Amino acid sequence: MKNIKNGTKSIWAGEKDYLAFGATQVPVVHSVSFGYDDMDEWYDVALGKKEGHIYGRNTNPTVQAFEEKIRILEGAEAATSFSTGMAAISNTLATFLTPGDRIVSIKDSYGGTNKIFTEFLPRQKVDVTLCDTGDHEGMEREIAKGCDIVYLETPTNPTVKITDIERMAKAGKAVGAIVVVDNTFATPINQNPLVLGADLVIHSATKFLGGHADALGGSLCGSKELVEQVYHFREINGATLDPMSAYFLLRGMKTLQLRIARQNENAMKVATYLKTIDIVEDVFYPGLEDHPGHDIAKKQMNGFGGMLSFAVKGGVDTVRHLLPKLTYANRAANLGSVETIVGPARTTSHVECTPEERAAVGIAEGLIRYSAGIEDSEDLLADLEQAFQALPKHIHVQV
């Protein structure tokens, strides 16, 4: 499917070989085990010498169809899957890092990822260096000192900061490091890190890939050599994607391009509107020309994404009053769904972190993460307007 567009790939990629009985949709194969009458064939499948399945913790036809679809969308040699996005991150890091190794990353990564960097990896005697996000010169200096992994997340969660993937990949390759990029916010529709020089691409498939907030999952794409190593770690440690979730993710991905196009559009309109509101201190969205990473995002992304965040005057008090007044937004710890989702970073992306830890990476307690859905933009803007107008007088006076 080399010359096929992403919209067509989202629908057709990876499914044909997994259809059965004339069905037009990939079946959900719930069987835990797969039987063989021929002992030699069974042995060959078990060793990976022949195509097939032996046990659900290792592989499954429905799951494999999902892996094939994301592999094709990311233009990768290979892909594997996981029970969650954090399983994809933790299994990948655990595969390649051992005591004495060094990883260089950014300070603004997702809260769960940040906890791995600040709590779990140091406990395993892995040297972790976190650089200011956007300080490319500083990051290049740290990478040049030598490291085993360069880990990027761009745009970041929740401050949507941007890192130049091509530039950091070049720096990582110069010292022999594996370059890993979390592409969850961008999706393969908006950004393809492998094309920009990354070795591995991670997704929390729970988010935009599935798009309907009804299935957990994660994926990893990259070279066959590297992906097979992570797959081996995952099959032994057991963070397996279940077939029903794989089916929901496959179904959701059929509309991926359509959803992302609408979410890109809605997020841009919401970000632009929020810039006009006095009670809003800052708006963070790479599509805005005054965003510090706008030029890099314009260079490496096909669209600016459906995620934005904004900080309100009055902090937590304003958040408490504003969010419940929104009609067309779920107040929940998720993102990337067809419905708009809002929530402060203190209860979503960085709930695991203390207020001090959040402040250290520039996340105000009044920062609101806004995941634009596919609703009509006019309704989203009107909903925000009525919510701001309905704020209590003491908040307007206070700020």
Side-chain angles (χ1 to χ4, degrees):
M1 304 190 79
K2 200 168 187 180
N3 299 316
I4 305 300
K5 301 296 184 183
N6 279 335
T8 305
K9 288 179 182 177
S10 297
I11 296 169
W12 293 98
E15 299 201 8
K16 185 177 180 181
D17 292 341
Y18 298 92
L19 302 178
F21 309 111
T24 61
Q25 305 301 313
V26 174
V28 184
V29 181
H30 285 296
S31 182
V32 169
S33 57
F34 301 83
Y36 293 88
D37 292 328
D38 187 315
M39 298 297 103
D40 293 329
E41 181 187 11
W42 186 3
Y43 185 68
D44 286 343
V45 171
L47 294 183
K49 295 179 180 179
K50 186 175 181 179
E51 287 290 321
H53 308 276
I54 59 167
Y55 189 63
R57 174 166 51 79
N58 308 94
T59 62
N60 169 279
T62 314
V63 172
Q64 204 164 43
F66 162 72
E67 294 170 345
E68 186 66 1
K69 189 179 288 289
I70 188 60
R71 180 193 74 78
I72 292 171
L73 281 166
E74 282 291 8
E77 283 185 353
T80 192
S81 60
F82 307 84
S83 53
T84 66
M86 280 309 301
I89 293 168
S90 59
N91 277 249
T92 299
L93 296 177
T95 298
F96 297 114
L97 292 172
T98 56
D101 286 346
R102 183 169 186 254
I103 181 171
V104 176
S105 188
I106 55 175
K107 291 180 179 178
D108 289 88
S109 59
Y110 167 64
T113 309
N114 185 263
K115 276 296 179 184
I116 292 177
F117 291 155
T118 59
E119 184 176 338
F120 299 127
L121 287 181
R123 192 185 300 167
Q124 296 163 24
K125 309 303 180 187
V126 172
D127 181 8
V128 179
T129 299
L130 302 181
C131 304
D132 290 331
T133 310
D135 179 8
H136 292 87
E137 292 82 5
M139 197 166 190
E140 283 170 330
R141 286 193 296 271
E142 288 298 334
I143 293 171
K145 295 177 183 177
C147 62
D148 300 279
I149 288 182
V150 173
Y151 187 96
L152 307 175
E153 178 185 309
T154 181
T156 59
N157 183 359
T159 51
V160 290
K161 292 180 181 177
I162 302 295
T163 299
D164 189 323
I165 297 173
E166 188 172 23
R167 183 173 173 179
M168 294 302 101
K170 185 178 179 180
K173 297 291 180 62
V175 296
I178 298 171
V179 180
V180 183
V181 178
D182 184 333
N183 202 33
T184 298
F185 267 25
T187 81
I189 303 300
N190 283 332
Q191 183 171 267
N192 298 109
L194 297 179
V195 175
L196 298 168
D199 296 301
L200 294 169
V201 179
I202 285 174
H203 288 277
S204 173
T206 310
K207 312 304 191 298
F208 287 101
L209 294 187
H212 292 76
D214 56 6
L216 292 169
S219 69
L220 178 74
C221 301
S223 70
K224 190 170 185 287
E225 178 189 1
L226 294 177
V227 170
E228 283 184 346
Q229 291 180 61
V230 182
Y231 162 73
H232 179 57
F233 185 93
R234 193 272 292 160
E235 70 167 334
I236 299 303
N237 284 274
T240 307
L241 178 64
D242 76 271
M244 197 70 223
S245 292
Y247 170 79
F248 282 133
L249 296 174
L250 273 168
R251 186 176 66 174
M253 287 172 71
K254 288 179 183 288
T255 58
L256 183 61
Q257 188 189 46
L258 289 173
R259 289 187 284 105
I260 295 302
R262 184 62 168 260
Q263 288 166 313
N264 288 346
E265 179 185 339
N266 282 352
M268 187 70 200
K269 289 180 178 179
V270 168
T272 302
Y273 165 76
L274 289 170
K275 294 280 286 185
T276 69
I277 305 301
D278 289 339
I279 203 171
V280 175
E281 286 185 314
D282 290 297
V283 181
F284 306 99
Y285 185 65
L288 298 173
E289 291 187 1
D290 62 355
H291 186 283
H294 175 73
D295 289 340
I296 296 172
K298 193 173 180 180
K299 178 187 72 170
Q300 69 186 21
M301 299 180 74
N302 302 312
F304 297 111
M307 291 298 306
L308 62 113
S309 59
F310 61 100
V312 291
K313 297 174 184 176
V316 175
D317 190 31
T318 302
V319 173
R320 286 195 185 104
H321 286 89
L322 178 67
L323 296 193
K325 291 179 171 59
L326 290 171
T327 302
Y328 302 119
N330 285 325
R331 288 154 288 278
N334 190 28
L335 60 93
S337 184
V338 290
E339 307 94 359
T340 292
I341 304 171
V342 297
R346 66 200 293 264
T347 58
T348 57
S349 64
H350 285 67
V351 66
E352 299 93 350
C353 302
T354 65
E356 293 74 23
E357 288 172 331
R358 289 191 289 269
V361 293
I363 297 176
E365 295 299 280
L367 183 76
I368 296 170
R369 190 176 70 176
Y370 189 101
S371 173
I374 63 170
E375 302 92 344
D376 288 297
S377 59
E378 294 83 356
D379 294 324
L380 294 180
L381 298 180
D383 194 29
L384 282 163
E385 184 175 9
Q386 65 81 24
F388 281 119
Q389 290 178 348
L391 284 173
K393 289 183 179 179
H394 81 272
I395 287 180
H396 289 290
V397 172
Q398 184 185 67
V399 299

